[in-house]
């Protein structure tokens, strides 16, 4: 009989454990995803940790993604009640929207 395959790498388990310890000190979480594959670049195993704090999803590499597809993804994330901002980390495009999203989350947290 074959032994079950344990695919979950040790470094991922360690990172999740560290994130669980760290999240209690955080006001919000920034999750960076690849704009070309926003679902595939998400680690669903840490979903329970992400739900503990307000999260802003940053879709990076928009310069390499199809603009129409990116806009559709943004609309889809918004329809799911998620905060999302598209950025190009090479030239800084979109980072003003990241700051705006962060300030909005923190303003709500502060009750303003």
């Amino acid at each position: 009989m074959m032994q079950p395959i344990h695919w979950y790498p040790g470094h991922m388990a360690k990172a999740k454990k560290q994130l669980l310890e760290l999240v209690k000190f955080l006001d919000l979480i920034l999750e960076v995803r690849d704009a070309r594959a926003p679902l595939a670049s998400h680690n669903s195993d840490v979903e329970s940790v992400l739900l503990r704090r307000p999260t802003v999803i940053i879709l990076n590499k928009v310069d390499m993604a199809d603009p129409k597809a990116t806009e559709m993804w943004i609309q889809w994330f918004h329809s799911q009640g998620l905060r999302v901002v598209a950025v190009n980390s090479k030239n800084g495009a979109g980072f003003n929207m990241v700051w705006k999203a962060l300030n909005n989350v923190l303003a709500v947290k502060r009750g303003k």
Side-chain angles (χ1 to χ4, degrees):
M1 188 162 146
M2 292 183 63
Q3 294 290 329
I5 298 171
H6 299 283
W7 65 269
Y8 200 70
H11 70 283
M12 293 295 289
K14 181 180 177 183
K16 183 178 179 183
K17 182 180 176 186
Q18 289 174 330
L19 186 57
L20 280 167
E21 293 172 11
L22 182 63
V23 74
K24 59 187 162 195
F25 301 108
L26 303 176
D27 289 324
L28 60 92
I29 297 172
L30 298 175
E31 181 187 7
V32 180
R33 299 189 189 190
D34 191 317
R36 300 167 294 178
L39 295 183
S41 56
H42 168 69
N43 183 348
S44 60
D45 194 47
V46 297
E47 190 76 33
S48 63
V49 178
L50 297 176
L51 293 173
R52 296 177 183 207
R53 294 292 181 265
T55 302
V56 176
I57 298 169
I58 298 174
L59 296 180
N60 190 27
K61 300 185 180 183
V62 293
D63 57 311
M64 300 172 77
D66 178 277
K68 289 180 184 176
T70 300
E71 186 54 39
M72 289 173 61
W73 278 116
I74 290 170
Q75 290 175 14
W76 182 82
F77 282 115
H78 286 160
S79 75
Q80 302 299 305
L82 301 170
R83 297 169 193 88
V84 62
V85 178
V87 303
N88 176 347
S89 60
K90 282 186 180 179
N91 67 10
F95 277 97
N96 58 334
M97 296 303 293
V98 172
W99 290 116
K100 184 177 179 179
L102 297 179
N103 285 325
N104 288 342
V105 169
L106 294 175
V108 169
K109 185 167 180 61
R110 285 180 249 153
K112 293 182 178 180

